[in-house]
Amino acid sequence: MLLLASVVPTAAGQNKARMQQLQQQLSDKLEMVSGAATDNERYLASEEAVQLLTQALQEEHSEKWRWSLPDVASVLSAPDGNFRIFTWAVIRDDGEFECFGAVQYYDEKEEEYTFQVLNDKSEEIMNREESTLSPDKWMGAVYQELIQTSAGGRTCYTLLGWNGVDNITDRKIIEPVMIRNGKVQFGAPVFRRERNQRRVILEYANNAMVNLGYEEQFIREVKRERVKVKGSNRYRTVETYEDHKERMIIFDEVAPQVPGMDGIFHYYMPSGNELAYTFVDGKWEMRDGAEGRLADKKLNKEFEPLPKSTPAYIFGK
């Protein structure tokens, strides 16, 4: 027993030292991804970052590591500790973006944590809002928020992300993720009344400010009641309004600002309407009357710096 007690802390210390080393090396490469002068240098740095991340995720208990990486990268961890995603983007000289990263998750079938590298195939995907995708064929994004929901014994992780696309358009994405039979599935039929929809994609002119966030904001409920007109046998409909706060995915509706330009996204700007999804009985349900007006929950947030994740566990404890 004394020998075991002396060996275990040493092994844990060695593992921690290895993770610290890999984290520093990964941080250095990610700094080069955003700071290198040429496409070749940025891509080389990104490929080396993927290799270092792969090495780190192969380390024992890496799912417990508290990551600290440069703001160019996003690391989001689910509250249940069973899902974590790393993403970043390479910006090419021509203004086009390509996203990279990896997903780490608990495989219930094998009863162990595993990971997969993400492969951005955004420009090859047809029917983008209706497709179920895998890490090998991924709708690339740098994710800013992770929402965990559960219903009927199934857990869904909904990601809110951004992709710069090119020098004229940007995208924001609402991406549901599920783990089924030990495999990560990007896109899921969790949008009520939209049977074929697997994700929501907002594409718009890159000089527009389009808000997307998971926040407690106001919903205005409209109630209609038929009341008898005084002194007659007639009735009229009276509308009353009631505002209340809910947790919701709230975002700007985008639409072409020039008639006849449907589908040409560099003409798309915020329409002035706010849309919202709330989670009801296992589905994201579109709600009318959303108003992002809480003073301490402003939607006008810059993309950077990215939020840091708060992992479910602390390494070594």
Side-chain angles (χ1 to χ4, degrees):
M1 292 298 294
L2 290 175
L3 178 60
L4 181 62
S6 65
V7 170
V8 171
T10 302
Q14 290 172 344
N15 191 213
K16 184 175 181 180
R18 174 62 174 158
M19 289 297 292
Q20 288 174 330
Q21 179 189 40
L22 288 167
Q23 176 174 266
Q24 184 57 58
Q25 292 174 335
L26 177 57
S27 295
D28 292 343
K29 293 301 178 184
L30 290 170
E31 293 285 7
M32 292 180 65
V33 167
S34 62
T38 68
D39 282 353
N40 286 341
E41 290 172 329
R42 288 189 287 272
Y43 270 99
L44 178 60
S46 186
E47 289 166 4
E48 291 175 342
V50 170
Q51 293 171 6
L52 288 164
L53 181 57
T54 297
Q55 293 176 40
L57 297 181
Q58 289 173 330
E59 290 289 317
E60 188 176 11
H61 303 307
S62 63
E63 74 279 359
K64 299 179 182 179
W65 182 253
R66 187 186 292 276
W67 286 94
S68 178
L69 295 174
D71 286 341
V72 66
S74 165
V75 187
L76 299 177
S77 299
D80 63 6
N82 290 338
F83 180 84
R84 178 183 283 172
I85 191 161
F86 305 76
T87 51
W88 65 87
V90 170
I91 309 172
R92 299 204 293 259
D93 289 338
D94 62 6
E96 294 191 358
F97 282 64
E98 185 173 349
C99 297
F100 294 82
V103 58
Q104 184 179 37
Y105 60 97
Y106 184 70
D107 183 343
E108 291 186 350
K109 184 178 180 180
E110 299 296 331
E111 297 184 339
E112 64 180 9
Y113 284 88
T114 186
F115 70 94
Q116 288 182 270
V117 171
L118 298 172
N119 191 8
D120 186 350
K121 295 291 184 180
S122 302
E123 302 314 309
E124 300 177 14
I125 298 167
M126 305 297 289
N127 301 320
R128 290 172 178 162
E129 291 196 328
E130 300 176 0
S131 299
T132 300
L133 305 173
S134 68
D136 289 334
K137 189 178 181 181
W138 167 56
M139 190 72 196
V142 180
Y143 298 115
Q144 298 168 277
E145 294 189 72
L146 186 158
I147 308 156
Q148 179 181 317
T149 52
S150 298
R154 287 187 173 182
T155 298
C156 179
Y157 308 103
T158 301
L159 299 165
L160 308 184
W162 169 89
N163 186 329
V165 187
D166 55 34
N167 58 6
I168 58 173
T169 61
D170 284 4
R171 287 190 195 114
K172 289 198 173 181
I173 301 174
I174 304 173
E175 181 78 79
V177 182
M178 290 186 172
I179 302 170
R180 291 183 173 174
N181 300 317
K183 303 294 183 182
V184 174
Q185 173 185 303
F186 287 89
V190 292
F191 299 97
R192 194 180 304 280
R193 295 192 294 274
E194 299 290 344
R195 187 180 65 174
N196 295 323
Q197 189 166 10
R198 299 295 189 269
R199 67 184 52 77
V200 175
I201 300 175
L202 310 172
E203 191 157 351
Y204 53 91
N206 70 347
N207 62 344
M209 171 67 79
V210 173
N211 299 304
L212 170 66
Y214 185 57
E215 303 188 348
E216 185 180 62
Q217 290 287 359
F218 281 99
I219 288 283
R220 170 162 286 187
E221 299 282 3
V222 181
K223 296 182 179 181
R224 294 177 176 87
E225 183 181 3
R226 283 177 58 81
V227 298
K228 190 173 182 180
V229 177
K230 188 175 180 179
S232 76
N233 292 323
R234 292 183 298 106
Y235 287 80
R236 65 187 179 93
T237 301
V238 176
E239 292 186 349
T240 59
Y241 302 89
E242 180 180 320
D243 292 350
H244 64 275
K245 290 184 287 186
E246 286 189 44
R247 196 77 170 162
M248 66 187 75
I249 298 174
I250 186 168
F251 56 99
D252 290 321
E253 178 186 57
V254 295
Q257 298 300 292
V258 177
M261 293 299 175
D262 291 0
I264 305 177
F265 295 110
H266 63 268
Y267 287 103
Y268 278 56
M269 302 286 284
S271 68
N273 295 327
E274 289 178 308
L275 305 176
Y277 286 106
T278 57
F279 195 74
V280 180
D281 298 330
K283 298 280 187 178
W284 287 111
E285 182 169 355
M286 180 66 75
R287 302 289 297 276
D288 295 327
E291 296 186 11
R293 55 189 167 86
L294 286 181
D296 60 340
K297 295 286 186 179
K298 291 182 180 178
L299 288 177
N300 291 319
K301 297 180 292 187
E302 295 293 335
F303 173 71
E304 293 184 350
L306 289 163
K308 294 296 182 181
S309 62
T310 304
Y313 308 102
I314 298 176
F315 182 77
K317 293 188 179 181

